[in-house]
Amino acid sequence: RALLRGALGLSLALLLLWASLFLYGSFYWAYLPAAAVLRPLHLAFRSDCDSPGPELCSFPSANVSLLGE
């Protein structure tokens, strides 16, 4: 009887795992858009500040053209 309960519990756990993976994959495929724009991005940092130490003193910035190459 305990073996039957264990097998039933394991079967239920595997069924729930399969269902969750299937539903996650279905949601991901149906609702998340594919990457439409891929461009190289070269970030620039300022290093001409007066702060002592190796830290950068600016936020990263870049100019990106979305019109084409």
Side-chain angles (χ1 to χ4, degrees), residues 49-56:
C49 59
D50 295 333
S51 67
E55 299 89 20
L56 297 173

Side-chain angles (χ1 to χ4, degrees), residues 9-35:
L10 182 63
S11 298
L12 182 61
L14 288 175
L15 178 68
L16 287 175
L17 178 66
W18 182 86
S20 66
L21 289 174
F22 175 76
L23 290 173
Y24 175 77
S26 298
F27 175 79
Y28 189 89
W29 180 77
Y31 290 106
L32 292 181

